[in-house]
Amino acid sequence: MKLIMAVVQDQDSNKLSHALIEHHFRATKLASTGGFLKAGNTTFIIGTDDNRLQEALDIIKQNCKSRDQVAPPISPMGGNADAYVPYPVEVPVGGATVFVLPVEQFHQF
Ligand code: 2BA
């Protein structure tokens, strides 16, 4: 069994939820916050049999698209003015950032 953790943009979260349900995957959605942009995103936790891993990854890929987002000006940390970026910059935000972990045990009590 594998555990998929997928960080996706909020805009794609409903579409991905519906696609997972349609294909009989079970998932949990967590409200999360990106460390860099400090903007809301959604983390899906999906437990799946090994033989359906690729199918789940394909569904995530098909339902999550990359977009550019404006990152706010980065304030200087530790007083180093050289590091200050005074204007907003555009960064590409995935698609989906996906981690696949082996599951040692799975229980439902
Ligand atoms: P954020 O941390 O808010 O990052 C949003 C986007 O900002 C990133 O998109 C990337 O293009 C850019 N970015 C992030 N850190 C940066 C930095 N130190 N310098 C310059 N640009 C930076 P993605 O890479 O597609 O990531 C989208 C979201 O996925 C992230 O939101 C974060 O919530 C999650 N994520 C990405 N990589 C991760 C990792 N290695 N571990 C845990 N979560 C991760």
Side-chain angles (χ1 to χ4, degrees):
M1 188 174 196
K2 295 282 191 282
L3 184 72
I4 302 171
M5 293 188 69
V7 184
V8 310
Q9 294 180 56
D10 286 345
Q11 293 98 309
D12 295 322
S13 136
N14 274 346
K15 201 173 154 207
L16 178 57
S17 268
H18 288 125
L20 289 169
I21 290 167
E22 197 181 316
H23 290 86
H24 308 288
F25 283 101
R26 294 182 180 201
T28 297
K29 278 165 68 173
L30 305 175
S32 43
T33 304
F36 186 68
L37 292 178
K38 297 176 179 52
N41 52 27
T42 304
T43 300
F44 281 79
I45 300 178
I46 307 160
T48 180
D49 288 333
D50 288 23
N51 60 6
R52 296 197 71 203
L53 173 63
Q54 192 55 52
E55 187 187 350
L57 294 175
D58 290 343
I59 291 169
I60 295 169
K61 196 171 174 184
Q62 282 157 16
N63 287 281
C64 300
K65 69 172 189 182
S66 179
R67 299 177 184 87
D68 286 342
Q69 274 193 35
V70 177
I74 301 162
S75 59
M77 296 286 284
N80 179 2
D82 290 344
Y84 182 53
V85 182
Y87 45 84
V89 287
E90 261 196 355
V91 291
V93 183
T97 299
V98 181
F99 303 87
V100 178
L101 295 85
V103 174
E104 202 164 300
Q105 292 189 22
F106 171 70
H107 302 287
Q108 282 186 307
F109 297 114

